[in-house]
Amino acid sequence: MQTPLPEPDSGTQTRHALHGQYPRAETVDDFRHNLALVHERINAACQRVGRDPTSVRLLPVSKTIDEAHIRLAYQAGCRLLGENKVQEAHHKWQAMQDLGDLQWSVIGHLQTNKAKLVARFASEFQALDSLRLAQTLERRLQSEGRSLDVFVQVNTSNEASKYGLAPDEVAGFLQALPRSGALRVRGLMTLALFSAQPEQVRACFVRLRELRDQLRQQAPANIGLDELSMGMSGDFEIAIEEGASVVRVGQAIFGARTVPDSHYWPSNERTE
Ligand SMILES: *Cc1c(COP(=O)(O)O)cnc(C)c1O
């Protein structure tokens, strides 16, 4: 099964245009093919703005995808997978212990009472948005003897329904983070506005980059702000044009999801 090439130079595409576009990947070859297409799109976006494609990390997002299909993706070369919900991620981690070098990035909102789980198995957490959560994670990581790369999630779309800190809260947040060192802040993460207007989507990505550039001048020494995690299947070219160093891509690799996105995001966000 070969997917049609989704417009390699479509810097104007948004998530809004995505519905039903990506067939399910069912074989290792399907995964290889889809990964190659995504890398082509990444390369084309980098070329437009004079960026080195190795400066963009592709994080495949495997939420809703079953173990058998994840194993195919692993055979096609995926070694770090993003999951929105920590329990789903934890089950998959347990089920695939035999794949010793498969690592997990939790990219969705985390309740403080589930910090313990993330501290146990995740290698990256991209949705840090409260001090209480940071303190709990730090404590749990210390007792597990582990460390964790984290991204601070920022609400760049000004939608009340979205998770993440308001842009003007981030500087104070970084100052107040625990200094003991199991949490390693790598950068910022955002979800763009769900919109058919590429310029509205782009504005969210620009806001995250400008915030990062401004924070860099005053951030505490142990806070890394090199990374910008932004862009998904429908809008990652725009994100790359605006400086993304991590793009989180699910459907363009695994195929369209049947579970509605409202299962993974605050419920009134997905309306058109
Ligand atoms: C699902 C998800 C993605 C990937 O979205 P796709 O449309 O499948 O590419 C990216 N980021 C987060 C936080 C997600 O929950």
Side-chain angles (χ1 to χ4, degrees), residues 15 18 22 59 61-63 83-85 107-109 126 153 189-191 229 231-234 236 247-253 255 257 261 264-265 270:
R15 267 191 277 156
L18 253 182
Y22 299 105
L59 175 62
V61 176
S62 55
K63 68 189 189 203
E83 287 280 340
N84 187 293
K85 288 190 184 290
I107 61 176
H109 181 71
Q126 293 206 359
Q153 185 172 355
M189 179 273 224
T190 201
L191 278 163
S229 175
M232 309 168 34
S233 292
F236 70 77
V247 292
R248 310 177 305 268
V249 178
Q251 299 183 80
I253 296 171
R257 280 184 298 275
D261 277 344
Y264 287 93
W265 284 301
R270 298 285 93 184

PDB file of all heavy atoms in Angstrom, residues 15 18 22 59 61-63 83-85 107-109 126 153 189-191 229 231-234 236 247-253 255 257 261 264-265 270, ligand 1:
ATOM      1  N   ARG A  15      -3.444  21.421   9.852  1.00  0.00           N
ATOM      2  CA  ARG A  15      -4.096  20.231  10.381  1.00  0.00           C
ATOM      3  C   ARG A  15      -5.536  20.133   9.903  1.00  0.00           C
ATOM      4  O   ARG A  15      -6.126  19.080   9.796  1.00  0.00           O
ATOM      5  CB  ARG A  15      -4.129  20.327  11.910  1.00  0.00           C
ATOM      6  CG  ARG A  15      -2.969  19.670  12.557  1.00  0.00           C
ATOM      7  CD  ARG A  15      -3.226  19.586  14.029  1.00  0.00           C
ATOM      8  NE  ARG A  15      -2.867  20.830  14.693  1.00  0.00           N
ATOM      9  CZ  ARG A  15      -3.379  21.211  15.845  1.00  0.00           C
ATOM     10  NH1 ARG A  15      -4.294  20.495  16.443  1.00  0.00           N
ATOM     11  NH2 ARG A  15      -2.994  22.330  16.405  1.00  0.00           N
ATOM     12  N   LEU A  18      -6.577  17.817   7.028  1.00  0.00           N
ATOM     13  CA  LEU A  18      -6.058  16.459   7.114  1.00  0.00           C
ATOM     14  C   LEU A  18      -7.041  15.317   6.957  1.00  0.00           C
ATOM     15  O   LEU A  18      -6.660  14.218   6.620  1.00  0.00           O
ATOM     16  CB  LEU A  18      -5.438  16.284   8.501  1.00  0.00           C
ATOM     17  CG  LEU A  18      -3.938  16.240   8.538  1.00  0.00           C
ATOM     18  CD1 LEU A  18      -3.498  16.008   9.961  1.00  0.00           C
ATOM     19  CD2 LEU A  18      -3.424  15.144   7.657  1.00  0.00           C
ATOM     20  N   TYR A  22      -4.598  10.043   5.314  1.00  0.00           N
ATOM     21  CA  TYR A  22      -3.519   9.064   5.440  1.00  0.00           C
ATOM     22  C   TYR A  22      -4.065   7.662   5.658  1.00  0.00           C
ATOM     23  O   TYR A  22      -4.694   7.394   6.668  1.00  0.00           O
ATOM     24  CB  TYR A  22      -2.606   9.429   6.603  1.00  0.00           C
ATOM     25  CG  TYR A  22      -1.943  10.773   6.455  1.00  0.00           C
ATOM     26  CD1 TYR A  22      -2.378  11.867   7.191  1.00  0.00           C
ATOM     27  CD2 TYR A  22      -0.878  10.947   5.577  1.00  0.00           C
ATOM     28  CE1 TYR A  22      -1.764  13.107   7.067  1.00  0.00           C
ATOM     29  CE2 TYR A  22      -0.259  12.172   5.443  1.00  0.00           C
ATOM     30  CZ  TYR A  22      -0.715  13.251   6.184  1.00  0.00           C
ATOM     31  OH  TYR A  22      -0.104  14.465   6.056  1.00  0.00           O
ATOM     32  N   LEU A  59       9.681  13.040  15.822  1.00  0.00           N
ATOM     33  CA  LEU A  59       9.156  12.189  16.895  1.00  0.00           C
ATOM     34  C   LEU A  59       7.867  11.530  16.410  1.00  0.00           C
ATOM     35  O   LEU A  59       6.827  12.185  16.323  1.00  0.00           O
ATOM     36  CB  LEU A  59       8.881  13.018  18.158  1.00  0.00           C
ATOM     37  CG  LEU A  59       8.223  12.241  19.312  1.00  0.00           C
ATOM     38  CD1 LEU A  59       9.106  11.110  19.811  1.00  0.00           C
ATOM     39  CD2 LEU A  59       7.848  13.175  20.457  1.00  0.00           C
ATOM     40  N   VAL A  61       4.462   9.701  16.601  1.00  0.00           N
ATOM     41  CA  VAL A  61       3.455   9.659  17.672  1.00  0.00           C
ATOM     42  C   VAL A  61       2.545   8.451  17.466  1.00  0.00           C
ATOM     43  O   VAL A  61       1.826   8.369  16.475  1.00  0.00           O
ATOM     44  CB  VAL A  61       2.637  10.967  17.701  1.00  0.00           C
ATOM     45  CG1 VAL A  61       1.516  10.880  18.746  1.00  0.00           C
ATOM     46  CG2 VAL A  61       3.543  12.154  17.996  1.00  0.00           C
ATOM     47  N   SER A  62       2.589   7.511  18.423  1.00  0.00           N
ATOM     48  CA  SER A  62       1.929   6.216  18.242  1.00  0.00           C
ATOM     49  C   SER A  62       0.661   6.059  19.068  1.00  0.00           C
ATOM     50  O   SER A  62       0.194   4.940  19.271  1.00  0.00           O
ATOM     51  CB  SER A  62       2.918   5.098  18.578  1.00  0.00           C
ATOM     52  OG  SER A  62       3.450   5.287  19.878  1.00  0.00           O
ATOM     53  N   LYS A  63       0.074   7.153  19.524  1.00  0.00           N
ATOM     54  CA  LYS A  63      -1.152   7.025  20.331  1.00  0.00           C
ATOM     55  C   LYS A  63      -2.246   6.322  19.524  1.00  0.00           C
ATOM     56  O   LYS A  63      -2.325   6.505  18.301  1.00  0.00           O
ATOM     57  CB  LYS A  63      -1.621   8.402  20.801  1.00  0.00           C
ATOM     58  CG  LYS A  63      -2.111   9.305  19.699  1.00  0.00           C
ATOM     59  CD  LYS A  63      -2.342  10.716  20.236  1.00  0.00           C
ATOM     60  CE  LYS A  63      -3.026  11.573  19.205  1.00  0.00           C
ATOM     61  NZ  LYS A  63      -2.790  13.005  19.438  1.00  0.00           N
ATOM     62  N   GLU A  83       3.579   9.447  23.004  1.00  0.00           N
ATOM     63  CA  GLU A  83       2.245   9.014  23.413  1.00  0.00           C
ATOM     64  C   GLU A  83       1.611  10.143  24.199  1.00  0.00           C
ATOM     65  O   GLU A  83       2.245  10.768  25.047  1.00  0.00           O
ATOM     66  CB  GLU A  83       2.340   7.766  24.313  1.00  0.00           C
ATOM     67  CG  GLU A  83       2.704   6.492  23.568  1.00  0.00           C
ATOM     68  CD  GLU A  83       1.503   5.869  22.840  1.00  0.00           C
ATOM     69  OE1 GLU A  83       0.335   6.167  23.194  1.00  0.00           O
ATOM     70  OE2 GLU A  83       1.744   5.085  21.898  1.00  0.00           O
ATOM     71  N   ASN A  84       0.331  10.387  23.952  1.00  0.00           N
ATOM     72  CA  ASN A  84      -0.347  11.487  24.626  1.00  0.00           C
ATOM     73  C   ASN A  84      -0.756  11.128  26.061  1.00  0.00           C
ATOM     74  O   ASN A  84      -0.705  11.977  26.957  1.00  0.00           O
ATOM     75  CB  ASN A  84      -1.565  11.889  23.793  1.00  0.00           C
ATOM     76  CG  ASN A  84      -2.244  13.127  24.316  1.00  0.00           C
ATOM     77  OD1 ASN A  84      -2.802  13.097  25.407  1.00  0.00           O
ATOM     78  ND2 ASN A  84      -2.172  14.211  23.569  1.00  0.00           N
ATOM     79  N   LYS A  85      -1.166   9.890  26.273  1.00  0.00           N
ATOM     80  CA  LYS A  85      -1.672   9.507  27.594  1.00  0.00           C
ATOM     81  C   LYS A  85      -0.693   8.572  28.303  1.00  0.00           C
ATOM     82  O   LYS A  85      -0.262   7.566  27.742  1.00  0.00           O
ATOM     83  CB  LYS A  85      -3.043   8.832  27.474  1.00  0.00           C
ATOM     84  CG  LYS A  85      -4.156   9.825  27.107  1.00  0.00           C
ATOM     85  CD  LYS A  85      -5.507   9.155  27.233  1.00  0.00           C
ATOM     86  CE  LYS A  85      -6.648  10.052  26.791  1.00  0.00           C
ATOM     87  NZ  LYS A  85      -6.901  11.188  27.713  1.00  0.00           N
ATOM     88  N   ILE A 107       3.752  13.146  25.653  1.00  0.00           N
ATOM     89  CA  ILE A 107       3.584  14.481  25.058  1.00  0.00           C
ATOM     90  C   ILE A 107       2.254  15.131  25.434  1.00  0.00           C
ATOM     91  O   ILE A 107       1.926  16.189  24.929  1.00  0.00           O
ATOM     92  CB  ILE A 107       3.710  14.418  23.516  1.00  0.00           C
ATOM     93  CG1 ILE A 107       2.635  13.514  22.911  1.00  0.00           C
ATOM     94  CG2 ILE A 107       5.113  13.955  23.104  1.00  0.00           C
ATOM     95  CD1 ILE A 107       2.643  13.492  21.374  1.00  0.00           C
ATOM     96  N   GLY A 108       1.485  14.473  26.320  1.00  0.00           N
ATOM     97  CA  GLY A 108       0.180  15.031  26.688  1.00  0.00           C
ATOM     98  C   GLY A 108       0.119  15.422  28.155  1.00  0.00           C
ATOM     99  O   GLY A 108       0.964  15.028  28.967  1.00  0.00           O
ATOM    100  N   HIS A 109      -0.909  16.172  28.482  1.00  0.00           N
ATOM    101  CA  HIS A 109      -1.144  16.664  29.844  1.00  0.00           C
ATOM    102  C   HIS A 109      -1.032  15.540  30.873  1.00  0.00           C
ATOM    103  O   HIS A 109      -1.548  14.452  30.671  1.00  0.00           O
ATOM    104  CB  HIS A 109      -2.534  17.292  29.922  1.00  0.00           C
ATOM    105  CG  HIS A 109      -2.858  17.847  31.266  1.00  0.00           C
ATOM    106  ND1 HIS A 109      -2.255  18.983  31.755  1.00  0.00           N
ATOM    107  CD2 HIS A 109      -3.689  17.401  32.235  1.00  0.00           C
ATOM    108  CE1 HIS A 109      -2.717  19.229  32.969  1.00  0.00           C
ATOM    109  NE2 HIS A 109      -3.585  18.287  33.281  1.00  0.00           N
ATOM    110  N   GLN A 126       6.944  16.128  27.449  1.00  0.00           N
ATOM    111  CA  GLN A 126       6.882  17.402  26.708  1.00  0.00           C
ATOM    112  C   GLN A 126       5.775  18.340  27.170  1.00  0.00           C
ATOM    113  O   GLN A 126       5.549  19.371  26.535  1.00  0.00           O
ATOM    114  CB  GLN A 126       6.689  17.108  25.216  1.00  0.00           C
ATOM    115  CG  GLN A 126       7.886  16.425  24.577  1.00  0.00           C
ATOM    116  CD  GLN A 126       7.966  16.708  23.086  1.00  0.00           C
ATOM    117  OE1 GLN A 126       7.136  17.398  22.511  1.00  0.00           O
ATOM    118  NE2 GLN A 126       9.000  16.180  22.451  1.00  0.00           N
ATOM    119  N   GLN A 153       5.287  23.230  28.297  1.00  0.00           N
ATOM    120  CA  GLN A 153       4.222  23.465  27.312  1.00  0.00           C
ATOM    121  C   GLN A 153       3.669  24.884  27.463  1.00  0.00           C
ATOM    122  O   GLN A 153       3.340  25.334  28.560  1.00  0.00           O
ATOM    123  CB  GLN A 153       3.087  22.448  27.462  1.00  0.00           C
ATOM    124  CG  GLN A 153       2.041  22.632  26.360  1.00  0.00           C
ATOM    125  CD  GLN A 153       0.983  21.543  26.319  1.00  0.00           C
ATOM    126  OE1 GLN A 153       1.049  20.557  27.060  1.00  0.00           O
ATOM    127  NE2 GLN A 153      -0.006  21.713  25.456  1.00  0.00           N
ATOM    128  N   MET A 189       7.359  23.590  24.213  1.00  0.00           N
ATOM    129  CA  MET A 189       6.480  22.825  23.333  1.00  0.00           C
ATOM    130  C   MET A 189       5.158  23.570  23.186  1.00  0.00           C
ATOM    131  O   MET A 189       4.709  24.236  24.117  1.00  0.00           O
ATOM    132  CB  MET A 189       6.243  21.446  23.962  1.00  0.00           C
ATOM    133  CG  MET A 189       5.322  20.522  23.179  1.00  0.00           C
ATOM    134  SD  MET A 189       3.564  20.746  23.564  1.00  0.00           S
ATOM    135  CE  MET A 189       3.039  19.049  23.681  1.00  0.00           C
ATOM    136  N   THR A 190       4.558  23.478  22.002  1.00  0.00           N
ATOM    137  CA  THR A 190       3.219  24.046  21.839  1.00  0.00           C
ATOM    138  C   THR A 190       2.401  23.265  20.827  1.00  0.00           C
ATOM    139  O   THR A 190       2.932  22.510  20.004  1.00  0.00           O
ATOM    140  CB  THR A 190       3.279  25.540  21.418  1.00  0.00           C
ATOM    141  OG1 THR A 190       2.032  26.157  21.749  1.00  0.00           O
ATOM    142  CG2 THR A 190       3.527  25.715  19.923  1.00  0.00           C
ATOM    143  N   LEU A 191       1.087  23.426  20.936  1.00  0.00           N
ATOM    144  CA  LEU A 191       0.123  22.970  19.934  1.00  0.00           C
ATOM    145  C   LEU A 191      -0.429  24.228  19.288  1.00  0.00           C
ATOM    146  O   LEU A 191      -0.899  25.118  19.991  1.00  0.00           O
ATOM    147  CB  LEU A 191      -1.051  22.271  20.627  1.00  0.00           C
ATOM    148  CG  LEU A 191      -0.923  20.817  21.037  1.00  0.00           C
ATOM    149  CD1 LEU A 191      -2.004  20.476  22.063  1.00  0.00           C
ATOM    150  CD2 LEU A 191      -1.096  19.933  19.816  1.00  0.00           C
ATOM    151  N   SER A 229       9.549  22.233  20.333  1.00  0.00           N
ATOM    152  CA  SER A 229       8.738  21.123  19.841  1.00  0.00           C
ATOM    153  C   SER A 229       7.424  21.687  19.333  1.00  0.00           C
ATOM    154  O   SER A 229       6.571  22.125  20.109  1.00  0.00           O
ATOM    155  CB  SER A 229       8.487  20.104  20.960  1.00  0.00           C
ATOM    156  OG  SER A 229       7.595  19.098  20.502  1.00  0.00           O
ATOM    157  N   GLY A 231       4.595  21.502  15.684  1.00  0.00           N
ATOM    158  CA  GLY A 231       4.263  20.963  14.369  1.00  0.00           C
ATOM    159  C   GLY A 231       3.830  19.511  14.459  1.00  0.00           C
ATOM    160  O   GLY A 231       4.435  18.714  15.181  1.00  0.00           O
ATOM    161  N   MET A 232       2.745  19.179  13.734  1.00  0.00           N
ATOM    162  CA  MET A 232       2.178  17.840  13.669  1.00  0.00           C
ATOM    163  C   MET A 232       1.966  17.487  12.200  1.00  0.00           C
ATOM    164  O   MET A 232       2.393  18.227  11.327  1.00  0.00           O
ATOM    165  CB  MET A 232       0.849  17.817  14.444  1.00  0.00           C
ATOM    166  CG  MET A 232       1.016  18.399  15.821  1.00  0.00           C
ATOM    167  SD  MET A 232      -0.486  18.761  16.721  1.00  0.00           S
ATOM    168  CE  MET A 232      -1.565  17.478  16.187  1.00  0.00           C
ATOM    169  N   SER A 233       1.288  16.334  11.931  1.00  0.00           N
ATOM    170  CA  SER A 233       1.177  15.878  10.537  1.00  0.00           C
ATOM    171  C   SER A 233       0.734  16.979   9.578  1.00  0.00           C
ATOM    172  O   SER A 233       1.237  17.077   8.465  1.00  0.00           O
ATOM    173  CB  SER A 233       0.184  14.714  10.436  1.00  0.00           C
ATOM    174  OG  SER A 233       0.709  13.582  11.066  1.00  0.00           O
ATOM    175  N   GLY A 234      -0.217  17.795  10.007  1.00  0.00           N
ATOM    176  CA  GLY A 234      -0.805  18.766   9.088  1.00  0.00           C
ATOM    177  C   GLY A 234      -0.109  20.112   9.032  1.00  0.00           C
ATOM    178  O   GLY A 234      -0.414  20.925   8.152  1.00  0.00           O
ATOM    179  N   PHE A 236       3.555  20.588  10.138  1.00  0.00           N
ATOM    180  CA  PHE A 236       4.960  20.599  10.582  1.00  0.00           C
ATOM    181  C   PHE A 236       5.880  21.378   9.656  1.00  0.00           C
ATOM    182  O   PHE A 236       6.919  21.871  10.095  1.00  0.00           O
ATOM    183  CB  PHE A 236       5.476  19.191  10.888  1.00  0.00           C
ATOM    184  CG  PHE A 236       5.688  18.273   9.725  1.00  0.00           C
ATOM    185  CD1 PHE A 236       6.786  18.409   8.902  1.00  0.00           C
ATOM    186  CD2 PHE A 236       4.808  17.229   9.478  1.00  0.00           C
ATOM    187  CE1 PHE A 236       7.000  17.533   7.835  1.00  0.00           C
ATOM    188  CE2 PHE A 236       5.009  16.348   8.424  1.00  0.00           C
ATOM    189  CZ  PHE A 236       6.107  16.508   7.583  1.00  0.00           C
ATOM    190  N   VAL A 247       9.495  17.776  15.605  1.00  0.00           N
ATOM    191  CA  VAL A 247       8.125  17.738  15.080  1.00  0.00           C
ATOM    192  C   VAL A 247       7.485  16.426  15.522  1.00  0.00           C
ATOM    193  O   VAL A 247       8.125  15.372  15.497  1.00  0.00           O
ATOM    194  CB  VAL A 247       8.068  17.906  13.539  1.00  0.00           C
ATOM    195  CG1 VAL A 247       8.501  19.316  13.148  1.00  0.00           C
ATOM    196  CG2 VAL A 247       8.944  16.882  12.818  1.00  0.00           C
ATOM    197  N   ARG A 248       6.251  16.503  15.990  1.00  0.00           N
ATOM    198  CA  ARG A 248       5.550  15.336  16.548  1.00  0.00           C
ATOM    199  C   ARG A 248       4.532  14.853  15.521  1.00  0.00           C
ATOM    200  O   ARG A 248       3.507  15.488  15.310  1.00  0.00           O
ATOM    201  CB  ARG A 248       4.848  15.736  17.847  1.00  0.00           C
ATOM    202  CG  ARG A 248       5.733  16.482  18.845  1.00  0.00           C
ATOM    203  CD  ARG A 248       4.928  16.904  20.070  1.00  0.00           C
ATOM    204  NE  ARG A 248       3.741  17.683  19.739  1.00  0.00           N
ATOM    205  CZ  ARG A 248       3.688  19.016  19.676  1.00  0.00           C
ATOM    206  NH1 ARG A 248       4.747  19.733  19.948  1.00  0.00           N
ATOM    207  NH2 ARG A 248       2.565  19.617  19.360  1.00  0.00           N
ATOM    208  N   VAL A 249       4.829  13.733  14.883  1.00  0.00           N
ATOM    209  CA  VAL A 249       4.041  13.327  13.720  1.00  0.00           C
ATOM    210  C   VAL A 249       3.436  11.934  13.929  1.00  0.00           C
ATOM    211  O   VAL A 249       4.166  10.951  14.063  1.00  0.00           O
ATOM    212  CB  VAL A 249       4.916  13.346  12.446  1.00  0.00           C
ATOM    213  CG1 VAL A 249       4.114  12.883  11.240  1.00  0.00           C
ATOM    214  CG2 VAL A 249       5.487  14.751  12.207  1.00  0.00           C
ATOM    215  N   GLY A 250       2.115  11.877  13.952  1.00  0.00           N
ATOM    216  CA  GLY A 250       1.416  10.607  14.111  1.00  0.00           C
ATOM    217  C   GLY A 250       0.826  10.103  12.803  1.00  0.00           C
ATOM    218  O   GLY A 250       1.306   9.150  12.198  1.00  0.00           O
ATOM    219  N   GLN A 251      -0.224  10.747  12.340  1.00  0.00           N
ATOM    220  CA  GLN A 251      -1.036  10.211  11.242  1.00  0.00           C
ATOM    221  C   GLN A 251      -0.279  10.063   9.926  1.00  0.00           C
ATOM    222  O   GLN A 251      -0.547   9.141   9.156  1.00  0.00           O
ATOM    223  CB  GLN A 251      -2.261  11.087  11.043  1.00  0.00           C
ATOM    224  CG  GLN A 251      -3.134  11.101  12.308  1.00  0.00           C
ATOM    225  CD  GLN A 251      -4.402  11.907  12.148  1.00  0.00           C
ATOM    226  OE1 GLN A 251      -5.366  11.427  11.568  1.00  0.00           O
ATOM    227  NE2 GLN A 251      -4.377  13.129  12.650  1.00  0.00           N
ATOM    228  N   ALA A 252       0.684  10.927   9.666  1.00  0.00           N
ATOM    229  CA  ALA A 252       1.433  10.827   8.410  1.00  0.00           C
ATOM    230  C   ALA A 252       2.352   9.610   8.404  1.00  0.00           C
ATOM    231  O   ALA A 252       2.834   9.195   7.361  1.00  0.00           O
ATOM    232  CB  ALA A 252       2.248  12.100   8.168  1.00  0.00           C
ATOM    233  N   ILE A 253       2.576   9.010   9.585  1.00  0.00           N
ATOM    234  CA  ILE A 253       3.406   7.804   9.664  1.00  0.00           C
ATOM    235  C   ILE A 253       2.546   6.554   9.861  1.00  0.00           C
ATOM    236  O   ILE A 253       2.713   5.557   9.173  1.00  0.00           O
ATOM    237  CB  ILE A 253       4.425   7.926  10.822  1.00  0.00           C
ATOM    238  CG1 ILE A 253       5.401   9.067  10.540  1.00  0.00           C
ATOM    239  CG2 ILE A 253       5.177   6.600  11.017  1.00  0.00           C
ATOM    240  CD1 ILE A 253       6.301   9.418  11.704  1.00  0.00           C
ATOM    241  N   GLY A 255      -0.962   6.448   9.838  1.00  0.00           N
ATOM    242  CA  GLY A 255      -2.263   6.483   9.178  1.00  0.00           C
ATOM    243  C   GLY A 255      -3.263   7.250  10.026  1.00  0.00           C
ATOM    244  O   GLY A 255      -3.027   7.505  11.212  1.00  0.00           O
ATOM    245  N   ARG A 257      -6.190   8.373  12.373  1.00  0.00           N
ATOM    246  CA  ARG A 257      -6.744   7.752  13.578  1.00  0.00           C
ATOM    247  C   ARG A 257      -8.261   7.700  13.505  1.00  0.00           C
ATOM    248  O   ARG A 257      -8.880   8.624  12.998  1.00  0.00           O
ATOM    249  CB  ARG A 257      -6.363   8.576  14.827  1.00  0.00           C
ATOM    250  CG  ARG A 257      -4.985   8.343  15.351  1.00  0.00           C
ATOM    251  CD  ARG A 257      -4.772   9.138  16.635  1.00  0.00           C
ATOM    252  NE  ARG A 257      -4.879  10.571  16.423  1.00  0.00           N
ATOM    253  CZ  ARG A 257      -3.868  11.335  16.011  1.00  0.00           C
ATOM    254  NH1 ARG A 257      -2.691  10.810  15.788  1.00  0.00           N
ATOM    255  NH2 ARG A 257      -4.048  12.623  15.829  1.00  0.00           N
ATOM    256  N   ASP A 261      -9.849  13.202  18.137  1.00  0.00           N
ATOM    257  CA  ASP A 261      -8.813  13.909  18.877  1.00  0.00           C
ATOM    258  C   ASP A 261      -9.314  14.461  20.214  1.00  0.00           C
ATOM    259  O   ASP A 261      -8.534  14.716  21.113  1.00  0.00           O
ATOM    260  CB  ASP A 261      -8.249  15.059  18.032  1.00  0.00           C
ATOM    261  CG  ASP A 261      -7.187  14.554  17.062  1.00  0.00           C
ATOM    262  OD1 ASP A 261      -6.692  13.427  17.248  1.00  0.00           O
ATOM    263  OD2 ASP A 261      -6.852  15.293  16.124  1.00  0.00           O
ATOM    264  N   TYR A 264      -8.005  13.059  23.274  1.00  0.00           N
ATOM    265  CA  TYR A 264      -6.636  13.388  23.683  1.00  0.00           C
ATOM    266  C   TYR A 264      -6.430  14.846  24.066  1.00  0.00           C
ATOM    267  O   TYR A 264      -5.446  15.188  24.686  1.00  0.00           O
ATOM    268  CB  TYR A 264      -5.653  13.012  22.561  1.00  0.00           C
ATOM    269  CG  TYR A 264      -5.492  11.523  22.481  1.00  0.00           C
ATOM    270  CD1 TYR A 264      -6.290  10.773  21.621  1.00  0.00           C
ATOM    271  CD2 TYR A 264      -4.604  10.868  23.316  1.00  0.00           C
ATOM    272  CE1 TYR A 264      -6.169   9.397  21.580  1.00  0.00           C
ATOM    273  CE2 TYR A 264      -4.480   9.492  23.288  1.00  0.00           C
ATOM    274  CZ  TYR A 264      -5.261   8.762  22.419  1.00  0.00           C
ATOM    275  OH  TYR A 264      -5.156   7.412  22.396  1.00  0.00           O
ATOM    276  N   TRP A 265      -7.341  15.680  23.634  1.00  0.00           N
ATOM    277  CA  TRP A 265      -7.207  17.094  23.951  1.00  0.00           C
ATOM    278  C   TRP A 265      -8.453  17.555  24.676  1.00  0.00           C
ATOM    279  O   TRP A 265      -9.501  16.934  24.571  1.00  0.00           O
ATOM    280  CB  TRP A 265      -7.044  17.909  22.659  1.00  0.00           C
ATOM    281  CG  TRP A 265      -5.700  17.810  22.047  1.00  0.00           C
ATOM    282  CD1 TRP A 265      -4.505  18.154  22.621  1.00  0.00           C
ATOM    283  CD2 TRP A 265      -5.391  17.343  20.721  1.00  0.00           C
ATOM    284  NE1 TRP A 265      -3.477  17.925  21.739  1.00  0.00           N
ATOM    285  CE2 TRP A 265      -3.984  17.431  20.576  1.00  0.00           C
ATOM    286  CE3 TRP A 265      -6.159  16.887  19.659  1.00  0.00           C
ATOM    287  CZ2 TRP A 265      -3.339  17.085  19.405  1.00  0.00           C
ATOM    288  CZ3 TRP A 265      -5.508  16.532  18.502  1.00  0.00           C
ATOM    289  CH2 TRP A 265      -4.119  16.626  18.375  1.00  0.00           C
ATOM    290  N   ARG A 270     -11.586  20.775  19.516  1.00  0.00           N
ATOM    291  CA  ARG A 270     -11.521  20.206  18.176  1.00  0.00           C
ATOM    292  C   ARG A 270     -12.650  20.645  17.259  1.00  0.00           C
ATOM    293  O   ARG A 270     -12.803  20.132  16.190  1.00  0.00           O
ATOM    294  CB  ARG A 270     -11.558  18.671  18.252  1.00  0.00           C
ATOM    295  CG  ARG A 270     -10.390  18.077  18.987  1.00  0.00           C
ATOM    296  CD  ARG A 270      -9.129  18.101  18.161  1.00  0.00           C
ATOM    297  NE  ARG A 270      -8.364  19.303  18.452  1.00  0.00           N
ATOM    298  CZ  ARG A 270      -7.252  19.632  17.821  1.00  0.00           C
ATOM    299  NH1 ARG A 270      -6.788  18.905  16.852  1.00  0.00           N
ATOM    300  NH2 ARG A 270      -6.631  20.736  18.131  1.00  0.00           N
TER     301      ARG A 270
HETATM  302  C1  LIG B   1      -1.549  13.292  18.537  1.00  0.00           C
HETATM  303  C2  LIG B   1      -0.561  14.344  18.834  1.00  0.00           C
HETATM  304  C3  LIG B   1       0.364  14.754  17.844  1.00  0.00           C
HETATM  305  C4  LIG B   1       0.413  14.158  16.448  1.00  0.00           C
HETATM  306  O1  LIG B   1      -0.719  14.516  15.707  1.00  0.00           O
HETATM  307  P1  LIG B   1      -0.883  13.921  14.212  1.00  0.00           P
HETATM  308  O2  LIG B   1      -2.030  14.662  13.659  1.00  0.00           O
HETATM  309  O3  LIG B   1      -1.191  12.464  14.406  1.00  0.00           O
HETATM  310  O4  LIG B   1       0.388  14.134  13.519  1.00  0.00           O
HETATM  311  C5  LIG B   1       1.263  15.752  18.185  1.00  0.00           C
HETATM  312  N1  LIG B   1       1.272  16.320  19.412  1.00  0.00           N
HETATM  313  C6  LIG B   1       0.414  15.943  20.379  1.00  0.00           C
HETATM  314  C7  LIG B   1       0.479  16.609  21.717  1.00  0.00           C
HETATM  315  C8  LIG B   1      -0.532  14.947  20.125  1.00  0.00           C
HETATM  316  O5  LIG B   1      -1.383  14.584  21.098  1.00  0.00           O
END
